[in-house]
C-alpha cells in the first residue's frame, strides 16, 4: 500500500527518466557527429599524404613521365583546388567557386585547398614541387578525384 506522499513520487521519477534519456540521446548524437567529421578530416590528410608520395615518386622519374591517379575525398568537401603563387592566378576561376576565395588564399604559402575552407581545422596544404597546368586547377568532388601527374623536370604538373 502506498501512502499519499508516495503517489506523487512516481510522476517525478518518470519525468526524470525521460529527461535523462533525452540528454543521453542528444549527447550521443553530438559525439557521433563530431567523430564522423573528424574521420572525414583525417581522410583529407590521407589524400594529401598519397598525393605527396606520388609527386615525390614521379619527381625522381625522367622528364615526360606521367601517370593517372585516383584519390578519394570525403563527400562534404565540394572542391579541391591546386594553384601556385609563382604564376598568374586566374581570379575568375576562384570567384566561380566562392566569392572572396582569391583574397583569402592569395598571400598564403599553400598550393592545395579543400573547399569549403571552414569544414576542417586544416583545409590548406602545401605539396612540394607541384604546379598546376592552369592556375588554378579546381576539381569538383564526386568522391574520387582523378588527376594526371607529369614530370616537367623542375616540377610535377598536375591536371
Amino acid at each position: 500500500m502506498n501512502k499519499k506522499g508516495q503517489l506523487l513520487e512516481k510522476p517525478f521519477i518518470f519525468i526524470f527518466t525521460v529527461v535523462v534519456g533525452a540528454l543521453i540521446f542528444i549527447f550521443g548524437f553530438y559525439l557521433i557527429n563530431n567523430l564522423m567529421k573528424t574521420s572525414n578530416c583525417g581522410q583529407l590528410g590521407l589524400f594529401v599524404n598519397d598525393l605527396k608520395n606520388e609527386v615525390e615518386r614521379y619527381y625522381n622519374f625522367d622528364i615526360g613521365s606521367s601517370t593517372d591517379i585516383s584519390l578519394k575525398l570525403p563527400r562534404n568537401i565540394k572542391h579541391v583546388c591546386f594553384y601556385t603563387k609563382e604564376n598568374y592566378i586566374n581570379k575568375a576561376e576562384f570567384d566561380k567557386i566562392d566569392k572572396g576565395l582569391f583574397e583569402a588564399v592569395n598571400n598564403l604559402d599553400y598550393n592545395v585547398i579543400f573547399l569549403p575552407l571552414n569544414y576542417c581545422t586544416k583545409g590548406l596544404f602545401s605539396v612540394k614541387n607541384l604546379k598546376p597546368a592552369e592556375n588554378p586547377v579546381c576539381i569538383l568532388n564526386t568522391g574520387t578525384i582523378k588527376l594526371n601527374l607529369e614530370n616537367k623536370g623542375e616540377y610535377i604538373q598536375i591536371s
Side-chain angles (χ1 to χ4, degrees), residues 5-77:
Q6 290 176 332
L7 291 175
L8 292 174
E9 182 180 299
K10 286 185 180 183
F12 290 113
I13 291 173
F14 289 132
I15 291 171
F16 179 74
T17 303
V18 168
V19 169
V20 169
L23 288 175
I24 290 172
F25 179 75
I26 291 169
F27 183 69
F29 180 76
Y30 174 76
L31 284 177
I32 290 171
N33 195 22
N34 279 347
L35 183 63
M36 289 173 59
K37 184 175 179 181
T38 302
S39 171
N40 287 339
C41 291
Q43 196 172 358
L44 287 184
L46 292 174
F47 177 95
V48 171
N49 191 37
D50 291 345
L51 181 63
K52 282 181 181 179
N53 289 339
E54 290 294 324
V55 167
E56 184 178 314
R57 183 172 157 217
Y58 274 85
Y59 186 72
N60 294 322
F61 284 4
D62 292 331
I63 295 174
S65 298
S66 68
T67 186
D68 291 326
I69 60 172
S70 295
L71 300 172
K72 292 186 179 187
L73 277 177
R75 63 180 171 186
N76 294 344
I77 298 298

Side-chain angles (χ1 to χ4, degrees), residues 89 92 105 130 138:
I89 299 174
V105 300
L130 181 70
C138 292

Side-chain angles (χ1 to χ4, degrees), residues 137-152:
V137 170
C138 292
I139 302 167
L140 180 66
N141 180 21
T142 58
T144 301
I145 302 289
K146 295 182 181 183
L147 303 169
N148 179 275
L149 301 177
E150 183 178 351
N151 187 326
K152 293 292 187 178

Side-chain angles (χ1 to χ4, degrees), residues 44-45 48 52 109-114 122-127:
L44 287 184
V48 171
K52 282 181 181 179
D109 291 327
Y110 299 104
N111 59 356
V112 180
I113 306 168
F114 295 100
K122 184 160 172 74
L124 303 166
F125 294 90
S126 182
V127 178

